[in-house]
Amino acid sequence: MPKRWISQIAVLAAWLVAALLLGLGFGGTGWWLAGALALYLAHTLRNVYLLDRVLEGGKRRVPMFETRGLWAEVFGRVARLQGKARNRKKKYHRLLREVRESTGALSDGGIILDAAHEIVWFNPAATRLLGLDPARDIGNRIDNLVRHPDFVSYLAGPRAEPVVVPSPVEEGGWLAVQLIPYGQEQHLAIVRDVTREHMLETTRRDFVANASHELRSPLTVVSGYLDSLSDADDVPGGWSKPIAEMRRQVARMTQILRDLIELTRLEAAEARAPQTFVDVCGMLRILTNDFPPSDDRPRLRLRLETDAALLGSESELHSIFFNLISNAMRFTPAQGTVDVVWRADADGAVFEVVDTGIGIPEEQIPRITERFYRVDPGRSRATGGTGLGLAIVKHALQRHGATLSIESREGEGSTFSCRFPAARVALRSGAAQAAG
Ligand code: ADP
């Protein structure tokens, strides 16, 4: 038994012994004992009352009437607990103040959204960037305040990279918004002013587009003269080889310009492709017919496992399919095979090109969708490549909400898979169809 309890029992025993002795001396032992017990009870009740007040929070400080024994120790312990709680509270207040001050000093906007995308809290930068008002906008849905369609679709299915939308407050301003999920379906929206980056990007894009357009006209003229020269009978014989080489190079430059213009067009377009009905099976049959069987190229097989169509941009889907098929044909030896597969499942549809070609070194796979990145520039050029095909594929897929995955082994072959979301797939019968 703890010492404090022994001493408390000893105090009670001393009271009772004293009452007993007084009772023996003066008579009326029972009364003396009852009196002693009543006094002890009163003392205990008073301490219980004080403890109750202290625990209720009525008294800020614990009264220290007793310096020794059980009650002194109980009050001492309560005082220590109160001190600790006060310190903890002070610490939390300080932390809260620091969080408020630091989020207040942030130049990026921070908005806490609940599961229904209603605003729970935001910092002063969010007030400035989005024109939010704490009195009006707490509890409001964020898509009532930022109504741009790109933002609304981003909110429905957040991606890793932020969405860039025009500022609702500043004319000509641009904001990048990124949603970071946390807790129970809550999100932290980070809002950044990207007006300067957007302007620089637009200038760069316009420059590339303008330069490409400007270069096209002189190239057409040069190409025309070269065509005439190659057909002319009065050109000295020694010129036929240089003229043929010049024609090849001009054709290559024309193709590069065409791809550059296509790429800048894709970059400048709205984030989402239109939703035109595209008969994928028909398109793939025509496309694969452009590569009839021949001894100097691999065998191309088309496997249509679904008759699903896509809702998207016909020219962009054509560009995606053509680039991937022609890459597979160019990087696969004549004895190899290229399988083009179109299939659907519960999550959407997949366009896949599987080749048994030269493959890609593992460390270079993440880089091959960059502009002008080639594993072997010589081979790419020799087979008529511009180094822009996969960059176009990546952008066009993004605009369709689709993803590209690449698996490859050097010397064994590569698989390029494009996964289209169910929202972009238009199923007609769902029945599998034999290869066309
Ligand atoms: P290119 O015009 O050079 O083909 P792309 O952007 O289409 O440009 O492809 C970039 C590079 O990726 C190619 O140069 C090639 O090195 C590699 N690559 C693309 N597809 C394949 C493939 N099916 N097999 C092997 N390598 C490939």
Side-chain angles (χ1 to χ4, degrees):
M1 192 187 284
K3 228 173 97 188
R4 55 185 180 275
W5 278 103
I6 295 172
S7 72
Q8 189 64 21
I9 290 166
V11 168
L12 179 58
W15 277 81
L16 292 177
V17 169
L20 203 65
L21 290 177
L22 284 168
L24 287 176
F26 299 102
T29 311
W31 286 109
W32 283 105
L33 279 174
L37 281 175
L39 277 175
Y40 184 81
L41 190 65
H43 171 248
T44 306
L45 274 178
R46 182 179 135 271
N47 280 334
V48 171
Y49 168 74
L50 285 174
L51 186 63
D52 180 53
R53 295 270 326 266
V54 168
L55 293 178
E56 275 266 313
K59 277 191 180 294
R60 278 181 55 78
R61 296 237 162 250
V62 178
M64 294 296 279
F65 296 116
E66 304 192 25
T67 51
R68 288 191 303 131
L70 176 69
W71 287 107
E73 205 156 312
V74 167
F75 281 117
R77 247 194 266 168
V78 171
R80 277 197 297 280
L81 285 177
Q82 274 187 329
K84 264 194 206 159
R86 259 197 305 278
N87 283 343
R88 210 173 301 138
K89 209 162 143 189
K90 259 194 232 155
K91 218 165 84 186
Y92 284 138
H93 274 295
R94 207 169 41 233
L95 198 67
L96 199 65
R97 204 176 48 238
E98 275 170 20
V99 170
R100 276 223 191 96
E101 281 173 6
S102 55
T103 52
L106 275 179
S107 57
D108 290 352
I111 307 168
I112 292 179
L113 303 173
D114 65 13
H117 294 142
E118 287 173 355
I119 298 173
V120 176
W121 172 91
F122 52 83
N123 69 350
T127 309
R128 184 169 45 79
L129 293 170
L130 292 173
L132 299 183
D133 175 357
R136 188 193 57 204
D137 296 326
I138 297 280
N140 222 334
R141 278 181 63 104
I142 189 150
D143 44 353
N144 284 340
L145 303 161
V146 184
R147 290 168 179 267
H148 196 277
D150 286 353
F151 178 74
V152 175
S153 58
Y154 175 75
L155 205 59
R159 300 175 297 274
E161 68 278 15
V163 63
V164 178
V165 288
S167 160
V169 194
E170 196 188 323
E171 182 79 22
W174 288 84
L175 301 175
V177 187
Q178 181 159 24
L179 287 190
I180 303 163
Y182 74 95
Q184 303 228 311
E185 288 187 57
Q186 279 168 304
H187 283 96
L188 172 65
I190 302 284
V191 187
R192 210 157 59 83
D193 184 355
V194 290
T195 309
R196 210 181 116 73
E197 288 98 313
H198 193 266
M199 255 170 58
L200 284 174
E201 180 63 19
T202 312
T203 314
R204 180 194 67 78
R205 224 161 38 212
D206 288 351
F207 173 78
V208 175
N210 290 338
S212 312
H213 277 294
E214 290 297 326
L215 285 170
R216 237 159 58 152
S217 315
L219 255 186
T220 313
V221 176
V222 174
S223 161
Y225 278 121
L226 284 173
D227 287 347
S228 311
L229 276 175
S230 70
D231 293 340
D233 302 325
D234 50 353
V235 176
W239 276 95
S240 61
K241 254 177 99 177
I243 288 172
E245 179 58 22
M246 279 192 275
R247 285 183 74 200
R248 219 176 21 251
Q249 294 300 335
V250 166
R252 226 169 71 73
M253 279 169 76
T254 311
Q255 187 56 45
I256 292 175
L257 290 182
R258 210 176 289 148
D259 281 358
L260 270 177
I261 290 168
E262 168 77 352
L263 197 55
T264 41
R265 190 193 64 75
L266 284 175
E267 284 176 337
E270 290 270 306
R272 300 271 136 192
Q275 303 241 354
T276 315
F277 185 89
V278 180
D279 172 15
V280 175
C281 295
M283 185 184 272
L284 289 178
R285 281 196 197 99
I286 296 171
L287 253 171
T288 46
N289 281 342
D290 285 346
F291 300 90
S294 155
D295 286 344
D296 56 3
R297 62 168 162 246
R299 200 149 72 87
L300 179 61
R301 295 184 297 210
L302 176 62
R303 220 166 67 222
L304 299 172
E305 294 179 6
T306 172
D307 65 354
L310 281 177
L311 300 174
S313 149
E314 182 154 7
S315 63
E316 288 171 32
L317 290 171
H318 184 275
S319 183
I320 294 168
F321 301 155
F322 175 78
N323 273 306
L324 292 179
I325 296 173
S326 82
N327 274 356
M329 296 297 281
R330 284 166 48 221
F331 295 107
T332 303
Q335 320 81 288
T337 53
V338 171
D339 285 308
V340 175
V341 187
W342 176 236
R343 57 186 157 82
D345 56 29
D347 298 329
V350 179
F351 169 74
E352 204 162 64
V353 182
V354 187
D355 68 48
T356 57
I358 60 170
I360 305 156
E362 199 182 337
E363 69 283 359
Q364 300 201 34
I365 293 178
R367 300 206 57 190
I368 60 167
T369 53
E370 289 173 17
R371 275 162 246 204
F372 296 115
Y373 191 89
R374 293 127 154 164
V375 176
D376 175 354
R379 185 176 183 132
S380 161
R381 285 193 197 105
T383 53
T386 62
L388 292 168
L390 289 181
I392 292 176
V393 168
K394 195 173 114 183
H395 264 87
L397 283 176
Q398 264 170 13
R399 276 169 42 80
H400 287 81
T403 50
L404 175 68
S405 62
I406 306 167
E407 278 173 36
S408 189
R409 261 175 195 278
E410 241 185 314
E412 290 181 21
S414 317
T415 300
F416 286 74
S417 308
C418 311
R419 175 164 278 284
F420 292 89
R424 286 275 180 184
V425 179
L427 283 172
R428 278 183 296 194
S429 68
Q433 195 172 312

